[in-house]
Amino acid sequence: MNDAAPAPRRARVRAPELIGKGGWLNTGGKELTLADLRGRIVIADFWTFCCINCLHVLDELRELEQKHADTVVIIGVHSPKFVHEAEHAAVVDAVERYEVHHPVLDDPELATWKQYAVRAWPTLVVIDPEGYVVAQHAGEGHAHAIEKLVEELEAEHEAKGTLRRGDGPYVAPEPVATDLRFPGKALLLPSGNFLVSDSTRHQLVEMAADGETVVRRIGSGERGFGEREFSEPQGLALLPDGRVIIADTVNHALRTYDPESGAIETVAGTGRQWWQGSPTSGPAREVDLSSPWDVAWFDGLVWIAMAGVHQLWTYDPQSGTVQVAAGTTNEGLVDGPAAEAWFAQPSGLEATEDRLWIADSETSALRWIDRDRTVHTAVGTGLFDFGHRDGAAEQALLQHPLGVTALPDGSVAVSDTYNHALRRYDPATGEVTTLATDLREPSDAVLVGEDIVVVESARHRLTRLRLPDEAVRVEAVAHRTQRAATEVAPGKLQLDVVFQAPAGQKLDTRYGPSTRLLVSSTPPGLLLAGEGAGTDLARELELDPAVGEGVLHVSAMAASCDDDPANEYPACHVHQQDWGVPVRLTEGATDRLALVLAGMDA
């Protein structure tokens, strides 16, 4: 006789089929259907490769993927934001670049995204062995909750005889031999050689002045946080003492490398990812960081493009401390005093005498911060507008730039990554031009005399170009994010962020409210009421009928802990997500907007 309590009843919704015009990757050429996956627990990961939160989730899922390899199949559903991300070859590159070791469906037209009513990157949908959706999670921090659910589903379907164990459908692609593999950033060493972050191989590579000959490799080449290990390193900068400081991105750390002795040292970060509520200043080795993507020496400090939290931080080698320098963690484009500015995945930095240039990738923007800590925008308008358009800076367009390089005449070259181009912005004239095209995902560039050496990330090489006297002319193209707007009624709108604590956990209220909700809009006039921060995950908004359409920015966090009174130190987990929901005000449309942070919307 079994006296165990019955498993709680879950909402059961039949999972729509997985369809995508781009087809399947990592399956050895086989097309997969949900019928092929019957008997397995399927986790559909809706992601896009520009999105830092999606990359965090890929890393969160690695352990679960290995531990439950015989029962769980993770399916990456690639759902593009940018036009470049809808290119099949770019998805193939991204799957290798980020070491995605599960099948991926390339869905360039967002067909499966729409079928599953997904509203944000990243979103995880759990499908049980009988083909029913049993949970949905948006954002980061859900791996623990999903593992608990997986264990419940394994037990439940083992008992019912509906669980099928065995090898999954993943088929590894053939490895390709190149000296570099998706290099990220480059640095000119005093010797005249180049130091390159060979991100996918978890190494640094020193290359001779020709940019082609490998002099030495630094690091074991294995992903890790040991003395000779890196994890997807990116940004590099020279310190005044001759050492190189490295943004060790997926280790959430800063490391130094001494080209003379070969010594590698960790100088900032713990190896853990920063979460809302964590310290934002203090001894550098004791404070968590979040996906540092680039570094630069400016105004006597190391500045950090903290892509994972949409901020700039600084590291002071003298005092051995770090602190937030600019940004609120809200994702968007807002200028002004550093403490009030908004960024969106800053990914490239370049210091000049009086300003620090910033490639703010998710807003497709070129920005700068000056010595009095005020943030300005040179090119770019926000999260949803991008393209390839030259001319006056206020109407020019970029597409997800990752790098900035100062040029001798006071202008800057922008590695316009998703346009496969090198662009130029001249502060003196306010004009944007194109220096070179037909580069493949340029992510950084280094000035060498009268030449510029570009990191062509998706061609796995450094490419030397002569700086042209005349800019290249290209046909103007403008794009908007292709997500359809959600139709909502004008006036009162009930916003509900759905959060159900994982099995065996409860909301952590020991130190006050454990939830946080922040709401704003673009344009700001869209919201007549309901803007600002609060602790309740439900809120009544009021939308101005005269505005017509815009974007609701919603940021939610919930902390849950083990629900065991006997445990003095319960394990706790933070779940968080930022949504940018395009809305169109339509008479007679719904007056409720539900965003699922974790669970199912009843």
Side-chain angles (χ1 to χ4, degrees):
M1 183 174 167
N2 187 348
D3 293 323
R9 285 192 62 79
R10 296 188 197 90
R12 281 162 64 89
V13 177
R14 177 64 72 182
E17 191 53 82
L18 302 170
I19 51 171
K21 208 168 185 180
W24 288 88
L25 304 175
N26 285 354
T27 63
K30 180 178 164 63
E31 299 277 320
L32 293 182
T33 66
L34 284 176
D36 298 327
L37 303 171
R38 196 60 50 84
R40 311 299 289 273
I41 300 161
V42 175
I43 301 171
D45 175 15
F46 290 85
W47 70 298
T48 189
F49 63 78
C50 72
C51 154
I52 191 68
N53 313 90
C54 300
L55 304 185
H56 290 166
V57 167
L58 284 176
D59 291 313
E60 283 179 14
L61 292 176
R62 289 186 204 280
E63 189 179 337
L64 181 142
E65 192 167 19
Q66 291 163 2
K67 186 174 173 184
H68 297 272
D70 65 334
T71 58
V72 170
V73 175
I74 295 177
I75 301 289
V77 182
H78 189 269
S79 315
K81 170 187 173 181
F82 289 100
V83 169
H84 169 58
E85 292 172 314
E87 295 174 19
H88 184 69
V91 181
V92 173
D93 284 345
V95 166
E96 181 190 347
R97 182 194 295 266
Y98 298 115
E99 297 186 302
V100 179
H101 293 162
H102 50 250
V104 172
L105 174 65
D106 179 12
D107 182 18
E109 296 177 347
L110 302 182
T112 295
W113 164 288
K114 291 168 189 165
Q115 286 290 311
Y116 280 79
V118 174
R119 293 189 184 276
W121 299 275
T123 291
L124 297 166
V125 176
V126 182
I127 302 168
D128 74 10
E130 293 178 285
Y132 290 94
V133 174
V134 291
Q136 184 170 325
H137 299 76
E140 302 179 50
H142 301 295
H144 171 79
I146 289 174
E147 174 147 27
K148 289 266 193 198
L149 177 56
V150 162
E151 288 168 356
E152 286 178 21
L153 290 169
E154 284 175 343
E156 179 184 332
H157 288 273
E158 191 99 77
K160 286 172 71 174
T162 48
L163 186 72
R164 181 166 57 86
R165 294 180 181 269
D167 292 336
Y170 171 67
V171 178
E174 289 292 317
V176 184
T178 51
D179 287 333
L180 300 172
R181 207 71 197 154
F182 298 104
K185 306 285 186 183
L187 176 71
L188 187 64
L189 293 169
S191 65
N193 287 353
F194 296 97
L195 190 65
V196 184
S197 54
D198 197 16
S199 303
T200 297
R201 293 225 179 99
H202 314 297
Q203 288 182 313
L204 308 182
V205 178
E206 184 178 338
M207 307 194 84
D210 62 7
E212 296 179 10
T213 307
V214 174
V215 176
R216 65 175 59 85
R217 295 184 178 276
I218 299 110
S220 68
E222 296 294 319
R223 184 193 292 273
F225 197 35
E227 187 183 336
R228 307 294 300 176
E229 294 171 321
F230 299 101
S231 188
E232 298 181 34
Q234 287 283 346
L236 307 165
L238 209 53
L239 296 176
D241 64 8
R243 291 181 303 160
V244 175
I245 192 152
I246 304 144
D248 194 3
T249 304
V250 179
N251 277 327
H252 309 295
L254 300 186
R255 322 284 289 277
T256 56
Y257 164 64
D258 187 338
E260 294 297 317
S261 67
I264 297 169
E265 183 186 354
T266 302
V267 295
T270 62
R272 295 184 302 271
Q273 184 186 335
W274 185 94
W275 291 96
Q276 290 285 356
S278 303
T280 54
S281 63
R285 290 294 310 278
E286 298 173 19
V287 177
D288 299 340
L289 308 181
S290 182
S291 295
W293 207 275
D294 204 3
V295 280
W297 180 259
F298 176 66
D299 209 14
L301 298 166
V302 173
W303 286 67
I304 311 162
M306 203 72 81
V309 284
H310 318 300
Q311 290 179 313
L312 304 181
W313 288 38
T314 56
Y315 162 63
D316 184 349
Q318 291 296 109
S319 63
T321 56
V322 292
Q323 63 180 15
V324 173
T328 63
T329 75
N330 291 333
E331 185 178 14
L333 194 153
V334 176
D335 289 338
E340 299 166 19
W342 292 22
F343 297 94
Q345 219 169 294
S347 302
L349 300 175
E350 175 83 333
T352 60
E353 182 59 34
D354 60 348
R355 61 179 68 174
L356 179 70
W357 292 96
I358 305 147
D360 200 28
S361 63
E362 280 292 290
T363 50
S364 296
L366 172 65
R367 307 176 73 185
W368 82 88
I369 186 167
D370 50 31
R371 287 178 181 271
D372 70 3
R373 304 259 172 128
T374 302
V375 177
H376 311 263
T377 296
V379 183
T381 58
L383 286 165
F384 301 98
D385 295 295
F386 54 90
H388 191 150
R389 188 162 64 200
D390 287 338
E394 56 268 19
Q395 59 85 54
L397 293 172
L398 308 169
Q399 187 179 180
H400 198 81
L402 292 180
V404 194
T405 307
L407 299 178
D409 63 358
S411 67
V412 290
V414 179
S415 294
D416 192 7
T417 309
Y418 287 4
N419 280 327
H420 310 301
L422 195 64
R423 311 286 292 283
R424 175 177 176 262
Y425 167 70
D426 185 351
T429 64
E431 291 286 310
V432 174
T433 52
T434 298
L435 295 173
T437 57
D438 194 33
L439 300 165
R440 189 73 191 165
E441 291 194 20
S443 54
D444 195 19
V446 181
L447 199 63
V448 185
E450 294 184 357
D451 294 344
I452 193 161
V453 175
V454 180
V455 180
E456 256 196 293
S457 189
R459 282 201 181 110
H460 320 293
R461 70 186 189 194
L462 302 184
T463 299
R464 186 181 293 261
L465 304 171
R466 176 56 54 98
L467 277 173
D469 296 330
E470 294 295 322
V472 178
R473 285 212 172 275
V474 295
E475 195 174 326
V477 184
H479 300 291
R480 294 214 86 206
T481 302
Q482 61 174 324
R483 270 189 302 164
T486 298
E487 296 202 342
V488 296
K492 299 277 195 279
L493 178 70
Q494 178 63 34
L495 172 66
D496 291 325
V497 174
V498 178
F499 178 75
Q500 290 149 9
Q505 294 210 318
K506 64 176 182 179
L507 286 172
D508 175 23
T509 54
R510 291 169 300 161
Y511 307 108
S514 62
T515 54
R516 175 176 174 268
L517 180 65
L518 182 69
V519 181
S520 63
S521 68
T522 304
L526 175 64
L527 273 176
L528 294 174
E531 186 179 9
T535 57
D536 193 342
L537 291 181
R539 186 180 302 178
E540 187 176 83
L541 311 180
E542 187 174 353
L543 307 182
D544 186 349
V547 173
E549 62 180 352
V551 179
L552 290 175
H553 304 283
V554 180
S555 178
M557 184 200 79
S560 61
C561 295
D562 291 344
D563 187 12
D564 181 358
N567 186 352
E568 192 178 350
Y569 302 105
C572 296
H573 301 272
V574 176
H575 317 260
Q576 65 184 47
Q577 171 65 343
D578 297 324
W579 291 268
V581 184
V583 293
R584 182 178 299 114
L585 275 52
T586 307
E587 289 293 346
T590 181
D591 61 359
R592 177 176 181 260
L593 177 62
L595 301 175
V596 178
L597 180 60
M600 296 281 282
D601 179 24

